[in-house]
Amino acid sequence: MKTYCIINSSEVSSVDFDQVFETSADTLRYSVDGTKTFLKYEGTQPSFLNGKQEYTHSEILAILATDEWSSDEPI
């Protein structure tokens, strides 16, 4: 089962992309204001995410549906 964690954009440089499903900083989805992103992984929480709140798939979907993560503005 995949687990999700939200991190600050400033923390992306500390991500070991070998331990998460995302492949690079360029493939991450960011919040509307660009200050946050999230990662997904399976199994034990990677050490660089220690102390971060974990979310289930349904929980992260609910978060990503909020105005903080999605905008009605055209790209």
Side-chain angles (χ1 to χ4, degrees):
M1 181 170 58
K2 292 184 178 92
T3 305
Y4 301 80
C5 283
I6 295 173
I7 64 170
N8 293 321
S9 298
S10 60
E11 298 172 280
V12 170
S13 61
S14 69
V15 172
D16 178 352
F17 286 98
D18 290 334
Q19 297 184 46
V20 295
F21 282 96
E22 293 73 25
T23 56
S24 72
D26 296 330
T27 62
L28 297 173
R29 176 176 168 184
Y30 291 88
S31 57
V32 172
D33 66 5
T35 61
K36 297 177 186 172
T37 188
F38 67 96
L39 302 164
K40 61 182 170 286
Y41 56 91
E42 281 185 331
T44 305
Q45 186 180 55
S47 60
F48 60 86
L49 293 174
N50 278 351
K52 298 290 181 189
Q53 183 170 346
E54 296 180 316
Y55 299 95
T56 64
H57 186 249
S58 59
E59 289 171 334
I60 201 75
L61 287 179
I63 291 167
L64 297 178
T66 65
D67 290 343
E68 184 177 13
W69 289 90
S70 59
S71 172
D72 292 335
E73 298 293 319
I75 297 176

